[in-house]
Amino acid sequence: MPEYKEGALSRGMDSPYLPFLGMVERSIRVSEKERFFVVAPSNETLLDYGPGQFFMVGLPGYGEAPISITSGPGERKIELCIRAVGNLTNAFHKLRKGDRIWLRGPFGRGFDLHALEGKDIVFVAGGIGIVPMRSLLKAVLDNPGRFGRLTLIYGAKTPEEMLFTEEMDGWRRRGLDVQATVDRSDALWKGHTGLVTALIPKIEMNHMNTTGVVIGPPVMYRFVILSLNARGLGAEDIFVSLERRMKCGVGKCGHCQINSLYVCQCGPVFRLSELKGMPEAF
């Protein structure tokens, strides 16, 4: 079972500012806005990551940005899924096999798998929250018998925006109950239509032994947490990832600061109880 990982900065890596080259081995458009990359790193220290951590990914002339890792721990390649939202990420979308990128990290505090061991887990992902969630799903599914009942509730705006749908049957065969929902369905959609919060009251849940994991857009957190609270989960039973605020990755720019916390260093993964008294976190 993979050990709990800490960020490059806290692990005493040679320098958190030192980038390493990565070679793009696959570049696939997976939706109108997202592109999936498989990257071969030039330095194996880049592979020492855990679910929930991130890399600073850069291109000369464009800059760099924090990007969630979507591959599972222990894999020999790095998988990223990047949404095109600006100059840098649009430049990423032009990369093809054989092109090079720069990587620093891994950074941040990811998910502590030992804290989840023996628990039933309800994963709630919204939009591109499924990208970092996929890394955690892989870590859990690769360790059968160490966790209890596993349920994924995944919501997207439309069927076309759902990611990793080709992998969901495989996840189901490995014991994950996948509940997918969209805000706006089409004639071909056979799943649920509505918000993820509509599915939470319907799933089987023993609140005495269940942990919730939530990753999604800011507007989702408050309502998902309220729904999980209604099922009996408290602040100690819920983990969230707050990666949206991060910028420099090493706690220097202050962009991700929430009171005394720097999301890029103290997080991006937090137990909800750690955020008590910090309503601005959401």
Side-chain angles (χ1 to χ4, degrees), residues 83-105:
R83 170 171 287 185
V85 293
N87 289 337
L88 175 60
T89 49
N90 275 296
F92 286 143
H93 273 226
K94 295 176 182 176
L95 296 173
R96 297 296 182 267
K97 182 178 180 179
D99 289 334
R100 299 187 300 177
I101 58 175
W102 291 94
L103 299 156
R104 292 193 296 121

Side-chain angles (χ1 to χ4, degrees), residues 241-269:
S241 181
L242 302 180
E243 58 203 345
R244 74 189 187 282
R245 295 169 177 256
M246 298 186 302
K247 188 173 183 181
C248 75
V250 290
K252 298 298 183 185
C253 72
H255 194 265
C256 67
Q257 186 174 4
I258 305 172
N259 289 344
S260 60
L261 300 178
Y262 287 90
V263 173
C264 68
Q265 288 189 286
C266 306
V269 174

Side-chain angles (χ1 to χ4, degrees), residues 207-277:
H207 71 277
M208 299 296 289
N209 191 44
T210 298
T211 295
V213 178
V214 186
I215 312 178
V219 68
M220 191 186 86
Y221 284 92
R222 188 181 306 275
F223 297 102
V224 169
I225 289 168
L226 286 172
S227 296
L228 293 175
N229 290 158
R231 295 298 308 271
L233 302 193
E236 288 291 324
D237 307 315
I238 299 172
F239 289 89
V240 299
S241 181
L242 302 180
E243 58 203 345
R244 74 189 187 282
R245 295 169 177 256
M246 298 186 302
K247 188 173 183 181
C248 75
V250 290
K252 298 298 183 185
C253 72
H255 194 265
C256 67
Q257 186 174 4
I258 305 172
N259 289 344
S260 60
L261 300 178
Y262 287 90
V263 173
C264 68
Q265 288 189 286
C266 306
V269 174
F270 294 92
R271 195 185 286 268
L272 184 58
S273 56
E274 296 179 287
L275 302 173
K276 184 178 180 181

Side-chain angles (χ1 to χ4, degrees), residues 33 52 118 124 131 154 184 197 208 277:
K33 298 178 181 177
V124 184
V131 171
Y154 171 35
R184 299 186 302 275
T197 49
M208 299 296 289

